Amino acid sequence: MTATQNPPTEQPKTASDSAERRYATVNPFTGETEQEFDFTPTEAVDGIVERAHAAYREWSQRPVQERAAVVARAAELLDERRDELAALITREMGKRREEAAGELFLCSMILKYYADNGPAFLEPTPIQPLMGKGEALVETRPVGALLAIEPWNYPFYQVVRVAGPNLVLGNTVILKHAEIVPQCALAIEQLFRDAGAPEGVLTNTFLRIADVEQVIADPRIAGVTLTGSERAGSAVGALAGKHLKKSVLELGGSDPFIVLDAEDLPAVVKAATSGRMQNTGQACIAAKRLIVTEDVYEPFVAGLAQAFGTFSPGDPAEPGTTLAPLSSEQAARDLHAQIQDAVDKGATVVTGGTRPDHPGAFVQPTILTDVTPDMRAYHEELFGPAAVVYRVKDADEAVALANDSVYGLGATVMSSDLDRARAVAERIEAGMVWINQPTGSSPELPFGGVKRSGYGRELSELAMFEFANRRLLRTVPAKTADKPQAG
């Protein structure tokens, strides 16, 4: 299971942007607007922040075992509600039902991981003092209420990987979810409430963009985390810095998938197809740039084209569907415009390249070759079922091309020679590199990037320390011999 982020068209904007979207469930398969939701009134925002701040004061003082028990119960409820919540994901953002259930299974794993391991992660770390007697400890303490701005493409996973570690740590969370998954947002809030989280520990909001800025500026907010586009990350990071708030940003990705050799070509093609097409290609760590050495390039492209040809559009709620719609009609138009730009400037379409004659927000699975730096597809993230394949002569050229990107989230290196693969992996500028498997996600593995893919880490033990006070406690024995005597 992989995860990640909103493309620019679905991300929060700054207050200076002209258009303001509404929160609504618009089924991307039928195009039907099923339900709309009012914005959280501006006058209610101060009260929401105050409740989250007050909840932090009480929640952080509870024994960590109690906080972990609430998170563990949320995992149990998630398992019990998996079918209904998977159907909700499918209806709001178009994910195939099987993949939606897989996302929820991963969410349950994450919550259980922090419930089981979080208390141990928070144990003080002893330091041997260099001078003087006594002891020194580094404690991990919560810092307060956090604002979490989350995307639509993994509507539960993105929230859970923030909530799990931070609720066990003792922080509280105000959620501002993407405008197209409002019912998922409400279901998450209800999940933690039913698990026993007091009011204010995890609060959903339908905030306007101007009110997001107000929340970040509020002195009762200790930090902000965002998964989304570069534009959104730049705006939120600037606001957080202006107000001296810690921020964690997980932004775009254009992950390289490097094929050095292919003793088992079908297995390599299968991995590339899975890495590119999971969640209809709407994942920041999807394999978007396929970089293949020239001795296997031709058979690889032929095999990939054959694999892409097996996908056909259908109802994402039906078990036999192989290609789901994109999250919205606008997302489909944006991706097609990027593909068309490449074609107009001379790129070769191996397969796909158009929108199918089928209702819904579909784009045909597309393979582009002969992509050059003057094309949008060379530099921009393609957030959907479109892959760019490059031919390179050797590992050095593969590394140079892989690193020729503003992004640095994940990367994959495929080779039957592990020493060769590791040598290439060492040179890749990315926050995560996987060898012989598409980039993925698991509770114990840190997730995050470098360059314009953001900063900070989610998941693993590291997530417990992003919004934490790593407080020093230094104890020196009292000097009892010099105390005056009672007279």
Side-chain angles (χ1 to χ4, degrees):
M1 165 71 66
T2 60
T4 191
Q5 114 253 1
N6 275 1
T9 55
E10 296 293 347
Q11 274 309 299
K13 298 181 180 180
T14 62
S16 61
D17 287 314
S18 58
E20 186 174 47
R21 295 178 297 274
R22 298 203 55 186
Y23 289 84
T25 299
V26 180
N27 189 313
F29 178 67
T30 65
E32 178 185 353
T33 299
E34 298 183 0
Q35 195 168 351
E36 294 184 317
F37 297 83
D38 293 333
F39 287 110
T40 300
T42 298
E43 59 271 21
V45 173
D46 183 75
I48 291 170
V49 174
E50 176 55 35
R51 284 190 292 276
H53 178 67
Y56 158 71
R57 294 296 187 195
E58 189 274 331
W59 180 249
S60 63
Q61 294 305 307
R62 290 192 181 193
V64 64
Q65 291 79 9
E66 289 187 19
R67 300 194 299 263
V70 170
V71 172
R73 179 56 181 155
E76 294 173 354
L77 293 176
L78 199 58
D79 288 336
E80 294 172 9
R81 300 173 185 179
R82 187 178 302 166
D83 289 344
E84 63 183 274
L85 296 179
L88 183 58
I89 293 172
T90 299
R91 196 163 73 248
E92 289 208 298
M93 57 75 55
K95 194 190 301 283
R96 289 194 304 114
R97 185 68 59 82
E98 179 183 1
E99 289 187 318
E103 175 184 341
L104 294 168
F105 176 76
L106 177 58
C107 290
S108 177
M109 287 179 60
I110 292 169
L111 294 176
K112 291 173 183 175
Y113 175 79
Y114 286 108
D116 292 342
N117 298 287
F121 293 156
L122 300 181
E123 287 291 324
T125 302
I127 298 175
Q128 181 61 48
L130 295 178
M131 296 183 292
K133 298 181 180 180
E135 65 177 13
L137 298 172
V138 175
E139 303 174 318
T140 303
R141 307 285 299 172
V143 294
L146 309 175
L147 174 64
I149 304 172
E150 301 300 333
W152 48 259
N153 60 331
Y154 289 87
F156 278 77
Y157 163 84
Q158 302 283 5
V159 178
V160 160
R161 69 183 191 181
V162 172
N166 281 293
L167 296 193
V168 172
L169 173 58
N171 294 325
T172 58
V173 177
I174 297 173
L175 172 63
K176 188 269 183 237
H177 218 321
E179 292 88 346
I180 68 171
V181 289
Q183 294 189 68
C184 287
L186 292 170
I188 293 167
E189 180 184 50
Q190 190 65 50
L191 179 82
F192 283 96
R193 183 181 296 129
D194 292 346
E199 181 183 12
V201 168
L202 191 146
T203 307
N204 176 64
T205 63
F206 294 144
L207 292 177
R208 292 179 172 86
I209 300 307
D211 292 336
V212 168
E213 297 181 13
Q214 174 187 335
V215 173
I216 295 174
D218 195 299
R220 294 167 293 184
I221 296 297
V224 56
T225 181
L226 175 141
T227 296
S229 69
E230 293 175 72
R231 183 183 63 199
S234 178
V236 167
L239 283 168
K242 175 182 176 181
H243 297 287
L244 300 180
K245 307 291 177 69
K246 173 69 181 290
S247 60
V248 169
L249 303 178
E250 194 267 280
L251 308 177
S254 190
D255 286 11
F257 184 99
I258 299 173
V259 181
L260 297 175
D261 54 71
E263 284 188 3
D264 187 349
L265 181 63
V268 174
V269 169
K270 182 178 180 181
T273 304
S274 172
R276 174 65 280 207
M277 291 297 296
Q278 49 85 28
N279 201 26
T280 319
Q282 299 170 115
C284 62
I285 56 170
K288 300 185 178 78
R289 296 181 294 141
L290 311 182
I291 302 171
V292 187
T293 53
E294 56 187 3
D295 55 335
V296 294
Y297 177 85
E298 295 293 349
F300 175 84
V301 171
L304 191 70
Q306 184 177 18
F308 273 36
T310 64
F311 291 87
S312 59
D315 185 346
E318 294 298 325
T321 295
T322 55
L323 180 67
L326 296 184
S327 63
S328 68
E329 178 60 25
Q330 187 61 53
R333 290 173 185 167
D334 290 343
L335 178 63
H336 185 250
Q338 291 171 301
I339 294 170
Q340 192 60 50
D341 171 79
V343 173
D344 291 344
K345 294 174 181 175
T348 299
V349 177
V350 177
T351 188
T354 64
R355 299 197 57 186
D357 184 17
H358 193 288
F362 290 97
V363 174
Q364 285 184 326
T366 299
I367 299 172
L368 297 173
T369 61
D370 304 311
V371 170
T372 54
D374 62 320
M375 303 172 188
R376 294 176 60 191
Y378 186 91
H379 301 285
E380 296 180 4
E381 179 177 23
L382 300 180
F383 215 70
V388 178
V389 187
Y390 297 93
R391 183 201 301 260
V392 293
K393 63 180 180 180
D394 55 24
D396 288 341
E397 191 174 331
V399 170
L401 182 56
N403 291 338
D404 185 22
S405 173
V406 298
Y407 299 109
L409 191 56
T412 299
V413 180
M414 303 292 291
S415 176
S416 57
D417 184 338
L418 290 182
D419 290 337
R420 185 186 187 200
R422 291 191 185 101
V424 168
E426 285 290 329
R427 301 164 63 191
I428 300 299
E429 298 167 353
M432 304 169 281
V433 182
W434 290 53
I435 295 176
N436 290 334
Q437 184 175 334
T439 313
S441 177
S442 187
E444 77 284 5
L445 303 179
F447 193 105
V450 296
K451 302 200 288 190
R452 294 188 71 84
S453 288
Y455 48 78
R457 292 295 180 266
E458 295 182 305
L459 299 179
S460 79
E461 182 179 2
L462 301 183
M464 301 289 292
F465 307 140
E466 287 290 356
F467 293 102
N469 174 12
R470 301 281 279 169
R471 188 176 72 176
L472 169 68
L473 181 63
R474 177 76 166 95
T475 304
V476 178
K479 297 180 179 179
T480 55
D482 295 334
K483 287 184 177 179
Q485 299 295 315

